[in-house]
Amino acid sequence: MERTLAIIKPDAVAGRKAGRILDRIESAGFRVAAMTLMHLSRAEAEGFYAVHRARPFFGSLTEFMASGPALVMVLEAPDAIKKWRTLMGATDPAKADAGTIRKEFAESIERNATHGSDAPDTAAFEIGYFFAGMELV
């Protein structure tokens, strides 16, 4: 089993899409090992996305992620990182495959409904950023 971090971003939570996205997650065979609803501060969003600090989208990304509540989860499944990224679809919903979460629920490349870890080391950092070991079941 592998774990990955998943976030239902503020746009999807505000748009009342979280329940349908959770249904897709569970229907795809993931087990939710931890979950919390949180409203990130700008500083927390900047810490989480620090790897992107030099990129031109950093400011707008962190502002967006601090704009409202997000549902943060640890998902578990065989090959969870790849499986979740496939289910999410391309970052740009216009380029996402039919049937993916971003194709169905995302508004734009920046307001793209979900986040997922891209590699095992990233998943370890991201999970640890939000959840203490005792919170994982």
Side-chain angles (χ1 to χ4, degrees), residues 96-119:
D97 290 339
T100 62
I101 289 171
R102 287 179 171 154
K103 186 67 163 185
E104 186 173 339
F105 298 109
E107 298 172 27
S108 68
I109 195 166
E110 284 201 348
R111 300 176 70 81
N112 61 12
T114 56
H115 167 88
S117 305
D118 63 1

Side-chain angles (χ1 to χ4, degrees), residues 5-126:
L5 187 88
I7 300 176
I8 300 177
K9 293 181 177 182
D11 57 321
V13 172
R16 302 175 58 132
K17 301 170 184 173
R20 289 179 285 161
I21 294 171
L22 277 170
D23 183 55
R24 297 278 301 277
I25 289 168
E26 290 189 325
S27 294
F30 288 97
R31 185 180 84 80
V32 178
M35 179 170 34
T36 188
L37 182 68
M38 60 178 47
H39 190 149
L40 296 175
S41 69
R42 182 73 182 260
E44 289 167 333
E46 288 174 351
F48 181 69
Y49 286 109
V51 68
H52 298 303
R53 188 170 300 280
R55 298 210 171 164
F57 59 81
F58 179 75
S60 62
L61 172 62
T62 55
E63 181 180 341
F64 162 63
M65 289 300 293
S67 70
L71 192 58
V72 183
M73 300 169 280
V74 177
L75 304 181
E76 186 176 80
D79 205 17
I81 294 168
K82 181 179 179 185
K83 184 175 180 176
W84 174 234
R85 292 187 68 79
T86 299
L87 182 61
M88 283 192 304
T91 304
D92 182 349
K95 297 177 182 174
D97 290 339
T100 62
I101 289 171
R102 287 179 171 154
K103 186 67 163 185
E104 186 173 339
F105 298 109
E107 298 172 27
S108 68
I109 195 166
E110 284 201 348
R111 300 176 70 81
N112 61 12
T114 56
H115 167 88
S117 305
D118 63 1
D121 58 331
T122 308
F125 166 78
E126 292 180 346

